[in-house]
Amino acid sequence: MTETNFTYRRFEDSDRTTTDRDITKKWGEEPISIGESYACPTYVHKTPPCQGSCPSGHDIRGWLSIVRGIDTPPEGLTMQEYAFQRMVMSNPFPAVMGRVCPAPCEGGCNRNQLEDFVGINSIEQYIGDWAIEHNFSLPAPGPDTGKKVAVVGSGPAGLAAAYFLRLLGHGVTLFEEYDKLGGMMVYGIPGYRTPRDVLNAEIQRILDMGVEVKASTRVGRDISMDQLTKDYDAIFWGIGTPDGRGVPVKGAENAPNCTDAMSFLRAFNNGKLQYLAGRILVIGAGDSAMDVVAVAKRIGQLDNVKAEDLPENVILGKTEHDPALAAQRKPSDSWIIYRRPISEAPCTPHELKAVIEEGVEIHDSLSPLEVMLDENGRARALKVAPVEMVDGQMVAQEDKAYEIECSMIVAATGQTGDYTGLEELNNGRNLIDSDATYQVVAKPGQFAAGDAIRPHLLTTAIGQASVAVEGIHDYLNSKEISKRPKVDKHHFKIAEELARHNLSPEKYEQKAGTHGTFEAKFAIHNYDDRSSAEVISHEDLYLGHFEYNPINHRDEVELNATQVLSNFEERFKVLSDEKAQKEADRCMSCGMCFECDNCVIFCPQDAIFRVSKDEHAIGRYVATDYAKCVGCHICQDVCPTGYINMGLGAY
Ligand SMILES: Cc1cc2nc3c(=O)[nH]c(=O)nc-3n(C[C@H](O)[C@H](O)[C@H](O)COP(=O)(O)OP(=O)(O)OC[C@H]3O[C@@H](n4cnc5c(N)ncnc54)[C@H](O)[C@@H]3O)c2cc1C
Ligand code: SF4
Ligand code: SF4
């Protein structure tokens, strides 16, 4: 390609066929296949799969490039504060996420194609903890818009909505039924997984942005839905699914010692439940089940518990345990009863492994048939039958049924919403129906997110809240609610990056002869932002560039059956500064230049050059001299990150 006065047109997928390059380059393969095309390099930004898999839409590649030192902080900011600022664009809870998010981002990471994923979650914890330790604030609220939004529910969905609304300058009143804020982060997930000082620090940062809080106030009981619609310009519903489902077995209906995971965990997290009175059977094998058995192992059991102090009386709110008796705890006998083989358990594998090490007994392929009651109406045993596969169906072998003695049965078989006083929101399945922008169906100005829509994860509730707030913003500005992009994430924006370096393109002025030039300064040249439409696959990278480099795990407290009793220490230890940077350095920067110089070194025409230091920004490290480029596509072949595509000038 020697012509310089070509006409620019967008790079299209079909342009790929103008090269003869095999795009999948694995270890040990020759990276370059001989060929020539009529296309020159263009720089194409795509979404990395880690970000594509993160329900909050974190700019993971962006904050990893800060931690590893490619993206340097502006003057006056530390690396950690700069990374924190990038993280909280998407999610204001990095320290909580860094501990309890099951990290679907890591499952999606392209580095799994080499040796192992990048430890994204542990770096999130590192930055989150650093931010708390150094008292970092969230960004300042936007200029006051004069609009008021009611946020109902203070779980991750409600708190994130409050945060994103304040960023846009809207007034927020947060209504919460309980006295403590945090939803399942405080009443569901035990404190040794989300330490309360960490959680409270991240919540306080949001409140410090100027959020009015009405705790111990249930909407639908203490204030009506009608009143909210009169008093506020919009409503956000983040009311979750607070109730557990009861033990789904005949005989359990009136037995006081048959309960559900939510009631059990709430009593523990309130500090009221301090010990058990004998064997506990937990039905189910999801994450809530793992939390119940892990708590049971920690609080242990006492012998000869008085009738009035039995754990069910605490769970039913009739009494509270005396914490002084905790000193007499003995190891508890905690069992998981699961209908399927445990290999099919829906819980995080890591949690299952931990509870087994802590001494929990797993009894799988067992179907609960009936709760056997004693003369006082308490459950004394669970009748179960082994399950066998017959013609592809799971069939309980009732002729082989037997009883398992117990002192408590906990169902961890799902949660449901409480719509008392809010009946008009209930879609009939104790959830709220909303559209793709999270606007409640047939209720303009009302939005909903989190478990109330579909029970999932903390990060999901936060990601949905962020989208819902954009809808609320449009609604409050009397605009049509914007359509969502195909890849709906918090993308890196090169225009903002250039502005940060005072490199924004000049204002466009219509002049003769401005077409077909790369010298004019009114455009971002040879850059194509496809991040809202495409996730970059490992097949588009040159993996041969990367050497074997094992993951740097954070240290973990592993407890055995003896050590677990009364041990409420948290499991994950934060990474050191050095390890965090080493781990971030494993990121392959999928879909974005990471300044490796391969293209500059390997271009036989010397057509690719580094831009001058004063023109440098992330995504703007190299440029092409199109007078020299012959379209050999070597730069594309040796680009490890898939950022170079042969597209420019093809016709
Ligand atoms: C035991 C357990 C363990 C879990 N572990 C994990 C984990 O490790 N990692 C993970 O990512 N996810 C985990 N989850 C899932 C996660 O907790 C939820 O997906 C998340 O909390 C949902 O957030 P939310 O804000 O939608 O609802 P919630 O967190 O349930 O918050 C809803 C809030 O609304 C309040 N509320 C309800 N109705 C009203 C009303 N009418 N008026 C005022 N306030 C009201 C409730 O009191 C509550 O505070 C776990 C869930 C459970 C139950
Ligand atoms: S919130 Fe979860 S999925 Fe998103 S980056 Fe953090 S660990 Fe990964
Ligand atoms: S290598 Fe980096 S950019 Fe690529 S998917 Fe993994 S964490 Fe994301």
Side-chain angles (χ1 to χ4, degrees):
M1 177 98 184
T2 49
E3 293 281 324
T4 52
N5 61 343
F6 54 81
T7 309
Y8 174 80
R9 79 168 173 75
R10 255 179 91 86
F11 173 72
E12 305 289 350
D13 270 341
S14 55
D15 293 337
R16 280 177 223 281
T17 59
T18 63
T19 78
D20 57 357
R21 175 178 178 256
D22 168 15
I23 56 171
T24 309
K25 297 292 169 199
K26 300 214 171 68
W27 265 352
E29 267 185 75
E30 287 297 326
I32 297 158
S33 55
I34 237 158
E36 199 171 294
S37 72
Y38 293 101
C40 290
T42 189
Y43 301 95
V44 182
H45 169 207
K46 292 184 190 161
T47 297
C50 52
Q51 182 176 21
S53 317
C54 168
S56 303
H58 259 293
D59 177 11
I60 298 166
R61 180 188 57 209
W63 44 257
L64 290 177
S65 79
I66 295 172
V67 175
R68 66 199 293 204
I70 294 173
D71 190 354
T72 48
E75 225 178 289
L77 276 193
T78 58
M79 169 275 276
Q80 289 87 352
E81 187 160 11
Y82 188 37
F84 170 75
Q85 289 180 354
R86 190 66 64 88
M87 280 184 180
V88 299
M89 276 169 46
S90 324
N91 184 323
F93 290 102
V96 170
M97 295 300 130
R99 289 169 162 80
V100 295
C101 183
C105 55
E106 293 179 348
C109 173
N110 274 335
R111 184 112 206 171
N112 285 304
Q113 300 297 321
L114 292 186
E115 69 300 83
D116 220 336
F117 56 81
V118 176
I120 299 165
N121 192 241
S122 58
I123 295 170
E124 209 173 359
Q125 179 190 9
Y126 165 76
I127 294 295
D129 282 15
W130 184 285
I132 293 172
E133 201 181 315
H134 293 80
N135 232 353
F136 293 165
S137 306
L138 292 168
D144 188 7
T145 62
K147 303 284 184 189
K148 292 191 308 176
V149 182
V151 172
V152 188
S154 74
L159 284 164
Y163 162 65
F164 289 117
L165 285 163
R166 289 300 296 134
L167 281 183
L168 294 168
H170 302 305
V172 175
T173 306
L174 183 63
F175 294 88
E176 170 53 53
E177 175 171 358
Y178 289 98
D179 56 340
K180 293 195 194 104
L181 307 187
M184 286 302 163
M185 295 188 288
V186 67
Y187 290 115
I189 304 175
Y192 57 86
R193 293 214 290 122
T194 48
R196 298 313 183 225
D197 53 340
V198 169
L199 175 63
N200 291 339
E202 294 203 319
I203 293 177
Q204 190 57 47
R205 264 196 319 236
I206 296 174
L207 303 185
D208 289 346
M209 293 175 79
V211 175
E212 185 190 9
V213 176
K214 291 193 188 287
S216 305
T217 307
R218 181 180 163 84
V219 176
R221 181 189 64 201
D222 304 313
I223 178 168
S224 69
M225 209 170 144
D226 277 355
Q227 195 62 45
L228 281 199
T229 48
K230 283 188 198 123
D231 293 350
Y232 294 90
D233 299 299
I235 305 176
F236 174 88
W237 298 100
I239 55 179
T241 47
D243 294 341
R245 297 181 197 277
V247 176
V249 186
K250 189 172 73 171
E253 302 80 9
N254 299 313
N257 56 341
C258 289
T259 187
D260 63 86
M262 289 323 308
S263 306
F264 180 96
L265 290 169
R266 193 168 276 132
F268 164 74
N269 283 317
N270 273 328
K272 295 176 179 169
L273 182 67
Q274 296 279 344
Y275 50 81
L276 300 174
R279 179 181 293 152
I280 179 172
L281 305 181
V282 179
I283 300 176
D287 284 322
S288 307
M290 299 304 135
D291 278 341
V292 174
V293 286
V295 164
K297 276 283 159 197
R298 281 161 177 76
I299 61 177
Q301 64 187 57
L302 298 193
D303 293 335
N304 307 319
V305 176
K306 286 191 265 171
E308 62 267 29
D309 287 335
L310 285 168
E312 62 259 32
N313 290 329
V314 178
I315 293 168
L316 291 167
K318 295 180 183 168
T319 187
E320 290 179 25
H321 281 158
D322 177 358
L325 291 176
Q328 298 171 23
R329 285 174 181 148
K330 293 178 166 180
S332 71
D333 189 9
S334 314
W335 292 25
I336 288 274
I337 307 286
Y338 186 46
R339 220 176 117 76
R340 294 175 169 277
I342 199 65
S343 56
E344 295 175 18
C347 63
T348 314
H350 187 267
E351 293 299 320
L352 178 63
K353 183 172 163 279
V355 299
I356 292 173
E357 277 164 18
E358 290 166 3
V360 170
E361 288 191 30
I362 307 292
H363 295 261
D364 59 352
S365 300
L366 271 190
S367 177
L369 297 181
E370 188 178 352
V371 171
M372 314 308 293
L373 304 176
D374 67 13
E375 61 284 5
N376 299 319
R378 290 185 82 237
R380 62 164 181 79
L382 181 66
K383 189 175 186 184
V384 295
V387 174
E388 282 174 21
M389 291 302 274
V390 180
D391 297 333
Q393 301 285 321
M394 294 193 335
V395 180
Q397 307 294 302
E398 298 203 13
D399 55 327
K400 296 181 188 159
Y402 59 95
E403 293 180 9
I404 305 171
E405 283 185 17
C406 61
S407 77
M408 173 161 273
I409 303 175
V410 180
T413 48
Q415 293 153 244
T416 183
D418 175 1
Y419 287 83
T420 319
L422 303 173
E423 287 76 8
E424 61 187 283
L425 286 174
N426 192 342
N427 68 1
R429 288 174 286 120
N430 288 343
L431 297 171
I432 301 174
D433 279 338
S434 66
D435 64 17
T437 63
Y438 300 108
Q439 186 160 213
V440 179
V441 170
K443 290 208 180 296
Q446 299 196 27
F447 292 74
D451 281 7
I453 301 292
R454 180 176 71 94
H456 198 227
L457 300 173
L458 301 168
T459 176
T460 314
I462 292 162
Q464 292 175 349
S466 146
V467 173
V469 164
E470 286 182 30
I472 295 174
H473 189 60
D474 284 344
Y475 173 82
L476 293 176
N477 286 306
S478 306
K479 278 170 50 190
E480 201 177 315
I481 293 170
S482 315
K483 283 213 172 77
R484 306 305 307 180
K486 187 173 157 201
V487 181
D488 196 357
K489 305 288 166 185
H490 293 264
H491 298 291
F492 165 82
K493 296 267 184 299
I494 200 165
E496 287 170 14
E497 168 69 5
L498 292 173
R500 189 167 80 77
H501 294 276
N502 295 321
L503 293 171
S504 293
E506 290 168 4
K507 199 163 166 285
Y508 175 71
E509 281 170 40
Q510 183 86 43
K511 280 192 229 153
T514 52
H515 67 276
T517 173
F518 55 82
E519 283 165 353
K521 300 281 186 202
F522 55 76
I524 302 175
H525 286 286
N526 63 356
Y527 172 81
D528 193 358
D529 186 355
R530 294 192 172 200
S531 58
S532 299
E534 275 185 57
V535 173
I536 188 160
S537 151
H538 66 92
E539 296 191 333
D540 289 339
L541 310 181
Y542 168 42
L543 295 179
H545 174 83
F546 301 97
E547 288 180 359
Y548 176 82
N549 185 1
I551 187 168
N552 302 279
H553 285 293
R554 57 189 149 183
D555 291 335
E556 208 175 318
V557 177
E558 287 174 1
L559 303 171
N560 62 28
T562 316
Q563 295 162 330
V564 71
L565 186 65
S566 294
N567 189 319
F568 298 97
E569 195 184 348
E570 76 160 313
R571 281 211 196 111
F572 292 127
K573 300 287 173 199
V574 69
L575 289 174
S576 64
D577 299 354
E578 191 200 350
K579 255 191 168 181
Q581 284 171 36
K582 259 178 86 181
E583 187 51 22
D585 214 25
R586 292 179 65 243
C587 173
M588 305 189 295
S589 190
C590 312
M592 172 55 65
C593 175
F594 72 151
E595 310 185 358
C596 68
D597 282 336
N598 274 5
C599 53
V600 179
I601 294 165
F602 286 99
C603 173
Q605 293 292 110
D606 286 338
I608 302 200
F609 59 94
R610 282 184 217 103
V611 299
S612 64
K613 273 207 170 124
D614 55 358
E615 292 194 330
H616 168 254
I618 293 296
R620 259 288 162 265
Y621 176 67
V622 288
T624 310
D625 181 341
Y626 292 103
K628 292 183 178 169
C629 174
V630 293
C632 73
H633 66 68
I634 289 175
C635 55
Q636 176 183 255
D637 288 348
V638 298
C639 175
T641 71
Y643 189 52
I644 300 179
N645 282 217
M646 306 307 286
L648 205 62
Y651 32 70

